[in-house]
Amino acid sequence: QLQLQESGPGLVKPSETLSLTCTVSGGSISSSSYYWGWIRQPPGKGLEWIGSIYYSGSTYYNPSLKSRVTISVDTSKNQFSLKLSSVTAADTAVYYCAGGDASVPAPPDPWGQGTLVTVSS
Amino acid sequence: EIVLTQSPGTLSLSPGERATLSCRASQSVSSSYLAWYQQKPGQAPRLLIYGASSRATGIPDRFSGSGSGTDFTLTISRLEPEDFAVYYCQQYGSSPPGTFGQGTKVEIK
């Protein structure tokens, strides 16, 4: 059974780069069966799709974040990562990683438990 | 970009009652690639429905989804105490994929 776990700093300074890692267990990160994605949720607010990456290396980013986002895969560690540059307080959120079936359009499932990242000096 | 609008914002109901949640898209959602999630405080969202009407693994049959095109509905036939939560719809078939609605809170009346 696929399981995901986010990790990374809980506090990032404004203008710096937020970096998070998602460790995948119960499946291979390099499998063509899955896509991998990131979603965030500001405190007390709704969900926002950040982006996703497929086995082929294709990436899809939320247009509102595209200029600042990079999602990549590290097959040697069975992990994928998120980098968000030039952060501001508006980027404070719980960040979730998720996986999904890549064989057909499919919603993300399962999700990690989420990690809170606060942007503050 | 497809915009999803959920209504109502809050639904106040009693256990045992029927809940009807709406999700309207700004343009047609291809092949009914519409999902519903349940989120409780401090937890990650849980997938309930995909493909507009298919229940995810382990989801009780009191949860049902319907709709196509631009209008979708999540129905909870009889509310159990554990069903009081926030519900989100998401489209995942169009580019860019993954847009969420703003959520509907189902609270105890």
Side-chain angles (χ1 to χ4, degrees):
Chain A
Q1 184 179 357
L2 205 60
Q3 292 186 310
L4 296 86
Q5 177 68 59
E6 306 87 352
S7 60
L11 181 64
V12 181
K13 290 183 169 54
S15 80
E16 295 189 343
T17 296
L18 179 160
S19 296
L20 295 175
T21 297
C22 183
T23 300
V24 177
S25 58
S28 173
I29 194 79
S30 57
S31 169
S32 60
S33 299
Y34 305 111
Y35 71 84
W36 311 104
W38 290 94
I39 302 105
R40 71 179 182 178
Q41 184 172 36
K45 297 187 178 180
L47 300 163
E48 180 180 34
W49 183 265
I50 298 171
S52 53
I53 187 167
Y54 286 72
Y55 168 76
S56 62
S58 297
T59 52
Y60 298 89
Y61 297 138
N62 186 323
S64 69
L65 299 170
K66 187 174 182 178
S67 63
R68 300 194 291 131
V69 173
T70 303
I71 296 175
S72 60
V73 168
D74 185 339
T75 56
S76 67
K77 296 181 180 178
N78 222 42
Q79 297 174 335
F80 64 103
S81 65
L82 168 71
K83 292 188 184 302
L84 181 66
S85 64
S86 304
V87 298
T88 68
D91 295 309
T92 293
V94 175
Y95 285 76
Y96 296 99
C97 61
D101 187 343
S103 61
V104 292
D109 182 52
W111 296 44
Q113 65 184 28
T115 187
L116 175 63
V117 178
T118 301
V119 179
S120 175
S121 56
Chain B
E1 178 183 345
I2 294 180
V3 176
L4 299 178
T5 302
Q6 293 186 239
S7 62
T10 302
L11 201 50
S12 298
L13 295 168
S14 301
E17 289 194 296
R18 181 185 188 90
T20 303
L21 287 66
S22 173
C23 177
R24 179 162 290 178
S26 59
Q27 54 189 283
S28 184
V29 176
S30 61
S31 302
S32 295
Y33 291 135
L34 192 287
W36 289 93
Y37 294 86
Q38 176 194 68
Q39 188 179 34
K40 297 179 181 179
Q43 296 185 16
R46 176 175 71 145
L47 179 66
L48 300 174
I49 301 288
Y50 64 94
S53 60
S54 298
R55 273 187 299 276
T57 303
I59 301 303
D61 60 7
R62 64 180 181 273
F63 291 92
S64 63
S66 62
S68 63
T70 60
D71 290 299
F72 299 88
T73 300
L74 174 69
T75 301
I76 310 171
S77 58
R78 289 178 57 86
L79 282 165
E80 298 288 341
E82 62 267 28
D83 298 337
F84 291 91
V86 179
Y87 293 83
Y88 294 95
C89 59
Q90 183 204 22
Q91 69 81 17
Y92 54 91
S94 300
S95 179
T99 336
F100 290 94
Q102 81 278 19
T104 290
K105 181 179 182 181
V106 179
E107 65 176 21
I108 299 176
K109 187 175 181 180

